[in-house]
Amino acid sequence: MSSLRDKLQQPVGGPNGSPGQEPVDAGKENDYQDLRVRVHNKLLDRVDLTAMESIPDAQLREELRQVVERILTEEAAALNDVERRRMVVDIQNEVLGLGPLEPLLADPSVSDILVNTFSKVYVERFGKLQETEVRFASNAHLLKIIDKIVSRIGRRIDESSPMVDARLPDGSRVNAIIPPLALDGPLLSIRRFAVVPLKIQDLIGFHTLTQGMADVLEGLVRAKVNMLISGGTGSGKTTLLNILSGYIPAGERIVTIEDAAELQLQQPHVVRLETRPPNIEGKGEVPQRALVRNSLRMRPDRIIIGEVRGAEVLDMLQAMNTGHEGSMTTVHANTPRDSLTRLENMSGMAGLNLPPKVLRQQISSALSVVIQVSRMSDGKRKVVSIEEITGMEGDVITMQEIFIYEKTGMASDGTVLGHFRATGIRPKFQQRLHVFGIDLKDVLFDPTITYE
């Protein structure tokens, strides 16, 4: 983690301290920026860096406020009360946090923060992208904020290593890419990490799925059915995986494997593993496949993989076929059928020249259910399909759809209209659920009943 001197020597942040701030006159804004630079430089001359290292955050904020107030008085700054408060907050954020991003990080309605060079900052709220008034002082300032993020976890970003994945202390995922790969300037993407994890009732309230579908998914987890969650970027795969993992009984040993730690399992016996990228010399990388193999020696009852992206899928399938029932993972795909094709293609990355039919047999015997999630054009997430894998017919994996979300149109305000319904097919896994003492009501599979 960087020292306090490193923190204080970052350039002072962008012109707008909060996302809801009114636009200001460019000339007045430039005067504000010039004053802030002077105040920041004087602050650096006056603070006792060594003593401040041991000061609690709340006390440090108060002391910084007092110093900034005194400097503003000495400067005879022509600022009103709102501008003075803004000046104090901006400098506090620069010293202790991530500068102009701090107000966005404090806003619980923001799910993604997308910085397209220093002058364009977008956020996603409720599934919709919005441009904000937040700005950085320059690309150099943005680059220093990026470096501040990655240095906290022992990583670096420079011309020789211009891409980096990192995470914030709250677990939010961070991706940064800088010149020469980013032509117009540094780019920063932050996928927010929910402070309070969503529950299944939240998804029902958001009309992501129905109560009946939720009951079936809960039964599948408790009955140790291997599941695959499929969907596009931002569709809610990890959120659903986290919620379903919450149904795993507390007495089981769970091993989670992720590229960037996001899962928030509440069970008492959870072992969390995270991949490691190569260092600056290109050595020391620990990929997901190595962690999956290692997890098999850790006596897991269930293995939860955040997302399969490559050769580790073959080890995952073998684990599911050799006693680790009830394991789950996610994959990027647009349909349940596409998700199985992706697994097959990724299995080929393992370097084994297995015939396609052998790979498909591995997939069909390892997985029982595919859950497809999607983000609609209005930003809302839906579980659009729950399909059961029933086996093989010749060289083809056979599937049957149990639940479906059917779109029927679009309202004048852009809201997607549609309904959930069962297809009427009775799943084969119903017998397995019965063995585990979970009996599903017949009405759940009535195709004539629709749910908005």
Side-chain angles (χ1 to χ4, degrees):
M1 185 175 293
S2 58
S3 67
L4 183 60
R5 180 181 295 274
D6 294 330
K7 292 179 181 178
L8 291 170
Q9 288 177 343
Q10 307 292 343
V12 182
N16 293 284
S18 64
Q21 192 168 326
E22 292 294 326
V24 295
D25 177 75
K28 185 175 181 181
E29 186 62 33
N30 289 335
D31 292 340
Y32 175 89
Q33 294 295 336
D34 292 340
L35 174 61
R36 187 160 57 172
V37 170
R38 294 199 303 273
V39 172
H40 190 249
N41 288 336
K42 287 190 175 183
L43 177 70
L44 293 177
D45 294 335
R46 296 188 184 188
V47 294
D48 183 349
L49 299 178
T50 304
M52 291 177 70
E53 288 279 6
S54 59
I55 298 177
D57 184 76
Q59 182 181 346
L60 182 54
R61 282 186 175 274
E62 175 59 24
E63 294 197 10
L64 287 173
R65 184 193 65 78
Q66 295 175 7
V67 174
V68 172
E69 291 280 7
R70 285 199 297 269
I71 295 174
L72 288 176
T73 301
E74 295 169 5
E75 288 277 332
L79 300 176
N80 58 35
D81 288 343
V82 173
E83 292 168 332
R84 292 176 79 92
R85 287 196 298 270
R86 176 186 162 196
M87 178 76 72
V88 171
V89 171
D90 285 346
I91 293 180
Q92 287 175 332
N93 288 342
E94 199 67 38
V95 173
L96 301 174
L98 300 180
L101 297 180
E102 283 297 315
L104 301 179
L105 292 169
D107 185 348
S109 68
V110 172
S111 56
D112 292 279
I113 301 172
L114 308 171
V115 183
N116 301 348
T117 73
F118 77 98
S119 60
K120 294 281 187 181
V121 179
Y122 292 83
V123 298
E124 181 185 290
R125 286 190 177 93
F126 311 111
K128 291 289 188 178
L129 286 177
Q130 306 170 0
E131 186 176 357
T132 71
E133 294 294 328
V134 172
R135 300 290 183 270
F136 289 82
S138 64
N139 278 333
H141 176 214
L142 172 55
L143 186 59
K144 287 186 177 292
I145 293 296
I146 292 173
D147 186 63
K148 191 174 185 180
I149 293 172
V150 301
S151 63
R152 286 174 172 172
I153 59 172
R155 298 181 185 176
R156 58 182 293 177
I157 187 167
D158 51 35
E159 286 191 7
S160 62
S161 180
M163 296 186 295
V164 70
D165 286 311
R167 67 173 183 268
L168 299 180
D170 68 354
S172 299
R173 283 191 298 177
V174 177
N175 175 269
I177 182 167
I178 66 172
L181 300 186
L183 299 180
D184 299 320
L187 306 175
L188 178 67
S189 305
I190 301 176
R191 301 289 305 276
R192 295 296 304 282
F193 193 75
V195 177
V196 179
L198 293 176
K199 304 293 185 182
I200 196 68
Q201 290 303 320
D202 296 316
L203 298 192
I204 294 171
F206 298 150
H207 301 286
T208 300
L209 76 173
T210 66
Q211 180 66 59
M213 294 166 69
D215 292 341
V216 171
L217 294 179
E218 178 181 356
L220 290 171
V221 176
R222 297 192 184 280
K224 295 188 174 184
V225 173
N226 294 329
M227 289 188 286
L228 175 68
I229 300 173
S230 168
T233 300
S235 59
K237 299 186 300 298
T238 304
T239 298
L240 182 58
L241 178 64
N242 196 64
I243 291 172
L244 295 183
S245 299
Y247 291 127
I248 299 174
E252 297 187 25
R253 177 175 169 85
I254 308 167
V255 176
T256 68
I257 300 170
E258 301 175 84
D259 262 342
E262 290 183 285
L263 296 175
Q264 297 172 283
L265 274 63
Q266 304 302 311
Q267 289 89 338
H269 201 159
V270 177
V271 179
R272 305 171 71 212
L273 305 179
E274 186 179 44
T275 61
R276 186 175 69 185
N279 58 23
I280 193 64
E281 290 82 20
K283 300 178 180 179
E285 180 181 13
V286 181
Q288 278 201 146
R289 188 174 191 190
L291 294 180
V292 173
R293 286 178 170 180
N294 189 79
S295 70
L296 299 178
R297 306 183 185 101
M298 299 172 66
R299 198 262 175 216
D301 288 309
R302 306 202 197 201
I303 300 173
I304 310 296
I305 303 178
E307 180 184 339
V308 288
R309 294 187 175 92
E312 70 274 2
V313 69
L314 189 59
D315 299 279
M316 179 203 73
L317 294 173
Q318 290 175 339
M320 290 179 171
N321 276 321
T322 54
H324 301 92
E325 296 178 317
S327 296
M328 293 178 281
T329 187
T330 73
V331 68
H332 272 83
N334 293 325
T335 67
R337 176 65 62 181
D338 287 348
S339 70
L340 301 186
T341 302
R342 280 215 68 205
L343 294 184
E344 184 181 341
N345 292 338
M346 287 187 288
S347 297
M349 298 179 186
L352 300 177
N353 295 321
L354 297 177
K357 184 174 182 178
V358 174
L359 288 176
R360 291 168 191 165
Q361 286 173 335
Q362 282 265 30
I363 293 170
S364 65
S365 60
L367 293 168
S368 297
V369 174
V370 180
I371 306 164
Q372 184 70 36
V373 293
S374 178
R375 182 168 63 171
M376 303 286 106
S377 57
D378 59 2
K380 295 179 181 178
R381 278 81 169 175
K382 303 285 186 185
V383 176
V384 297
S385 179
I386 299 178
E387 296 199 22
E388 180 182 31
I389 298 174
T390 56
M392 295 275 295
E393 284 187 6
D395 292 344
V396 180
I397 298 174
T398 56
M399 307 175 72
Q400 58 185 18
E401 194 164 39
I402 311 302
F403 296 100
I404 188 173
Y405 176 78
E406 295 177 326
K407 289 189 287 186
T408 57
M410 185 172 292
S412 58
D413 62 356
T415 301
V416 173
L417 302 177
H419 57 256
F420 297 96
R421 70 172 180 86
T423 61
I425 297 174
R426 292 300 181 98
K428 290 184 176 181
F429 60 65
Q430 191 170 6
Q431 177 59 33
R432 181 180 177 92
L433 268 61
H434 177 73
V435 172
F436 277 80
I438 303 166
D439 292 313
L440 302 177
K441 298 178 181 178
D442 292 341
V443 70
L444 290 179
F445 306 105
D446 187 344
T448 64
I449 302 176
T450 61
Y451 304 86
E452 297 300 325

